[in-house]
Amino acid sequence: MCRGPDDKSLVIRYRDTATALNGEKRAELAGKGLLNAAISHLLFAYLAENGIATHLIQVLDEESALVKKAAIVPVEVIVRNRAAGGFSQKYGVPEGTALLNTVLEFCLKSDALGDPMLNHSHITALGLASEAELAEMTRQALVINGLLCTLCEKAGMTLIDFKLEFGRYDDSLILCDEISPDSCRLWDTDTGKKLDKDRFRRDLGDVLGGYREVLRRLRHARSL
Ligand code: 5GP
């Protein structure tokens, strides 16, 4: 992240560094930044076309973009359509189990504390976000989930779960950070094959093969 041409913008660069287990596991995956940039820019453009306000101003090159300098709300919003990962572990539910409704979780954005889960009263008590902001993040997260599920379905992928970050900019909340296989679980709909960062977290091999497949399928789905 570096300064943009004025004090209301920033240049973000997508890194090749992959981390897991709260930073304990780390590797350089040459080309990951380029893939995540392409995937995230495609998804942000799609969301913007469908009425979601995002931080993206302009794609600069294959691995960087000019974005609005928003004040990031220190609350990660996790949306879950199926059980997996932390949810499966915490509640003892097999991965892939369909959920009877969409699950929304809020977590403190703090690597040092391991991103602990927060409820609404924690968030307002700690002054992390107001009730109105929470309602707006909830509304936007559900709309984004619907839009992403539709696109992924066209791409033959199931959107299992994902993480969003929002920021304050000009008195409103806008979607920030990135949406990529680093922050989503995406499974091949027919085979259940994992195409996301779980390939790195779980040593499943050919991490970038999964990311390339996600990009190829999303490009195709966008062209339909
Ligand atoms: P889980 O809680 O199961 O580990 O993660 C749920 C979803 O949110 C997964 O798609 C995961 O990739 C994403 N996620 C959760 N925390 C983070 C985070 O700190 N960084 C990123 N990039 N993604 C996260």
Side-chain angles (χ1 to χ4, degrees), residues 1 11-16 30-38 41 58-66 178:
M1 193 96 76
V11 173
I12 54 167
R13 194 168 295 279
Y14 296 77
R15 296 178 313 151
D16 285 342
K32 182 175 79 76
L34 294 181
L35 287 164
N36 276 353
H41 295 158
Q58 190 190 345
V59 174
L60 296 176
D61 57 36
E62 279 188 312
E63 55 185 352
S64 61
L66 185 67
E178 67 180 72

Side-chain angles (χ1 to χ4, degrees), residues 51-52 104 133-144 166:
I52 301 294
L104 275 193
E133 287 175 326
L134 260 172
E136 181 58 10
M137 290 195 290
T138 300
R139 187 191 70 77
Q140 287 199 35
L142 293 175
V143 173
I144 291 167
F166 292 93

Side-chain angles (χ1 to χ4, degrees), residues 76-80 84-88 105 107 111 115 160-163 165 177-178 180-185 197-198 201:
E76 297 183 346
V77 182
I78 294 177
V79 183
R80 299 185 189 271
F87 185 95
S88 288
E105 291 173 5
C107 297
D111 287 343
D115 297 349
I160 303 292
D161 57 29
F162 58 99
K163 185 258 307 176
E165 293 186 22
D177 197 52
E178 67 180 72
S180 73
D182 275 4
S183 59
C184 300
R185 286 195 174 91
K197 194 173 164 186
D198 274 348
R201 296 186 185 101

Side-chain angles (χ1 to χ4, degrees), residues 109-160:
K109 191 172 152 58
S110 165
D111 287 343
L113 297 174
D115 297 349
M117 207 194 287
L118 300 162
N119 67 25
H120 282 215
S121 65
H122 291 137
I123 293 172
T124 50
L126 294 171
L128 303 173
S130 67
E131 284 286 0
E133 287 175 326
L134 260 172
E136 181 58 10
M137 290 195 290
T138 300
R139 187 191 70 77
Q140 287 199 35
L142 293 175
V143 173
I144 291 167
N145 185 42
L147 291 166
L148 293 180
C149 282
T150 301
L151 186 67
C152 288
E153 201 179 312
K154 277 194 205 166
M157 301 187 292
T158 304
L159 180 59
I160 303 292

